[in-house]
Amino acid sequence: MVINYSAGKIIVTPMEIVIRVSVSGGITMQAYRDTITLYGDACVIAANSGDAKWSLTLDNQEQLCLISKETGVEIL
């Protein structure tokens, strides 16, 4: 599933999320399902795999719900 958001695209599968930020030079962030946390109040995806940590604020709650449904990760 591909979700467009204001800064690029989020590619979601049942096992992982890939985020492509549309900036000069490009930025790609990837995280496996078991390293992802979804925060409903702030509309944030956070990934923590030990050495690498990142977070992204989404445009709206609908995007967060789509990611939760596709990955099976519960929204906190």
Side-chain angles (χ1 to χ4, degrees):
M1 164 187 297
V2 177
I3 301 169
N4 292 310
Y5 77 108
S6 60
K9 293 183 180 191
I10 304 168
I11 302 158
V12 185
T13 72
M15 299 304 292
E16 69 180 347
I17 291 179
V18 177
I19 298 172
R20 294 194 176 156
V21 181
S22 299
V23 295
S24 178
I27 297 171
T28 301
M29 301 180 294
Q30 178 179 358
Y32 289 104
R33 185 186 107 133
D34 59 344
T35 65
I36 297 167
T37 306
L38 304 175
Y39 296 101
D41 290 342
C43 234
V44 168
I45 303 171
N48 182 352
S49 63
D51 293 337
K53 298 177 184 178
W54 56 262
S55 65
L56 175 77
T57 302
L58 299 171
D59 297 330
N60 56 56
Q61 190 76 21
E62 180 183 355
Q63 293 168 331
L64 196 66
C65 290
L66 289 170
I67 292 167
S68 176
K69 185 179 279 186
E70 183 70 21
T71 60
V73 175
E74 182 180 345
I75 299 172
L76 303 179

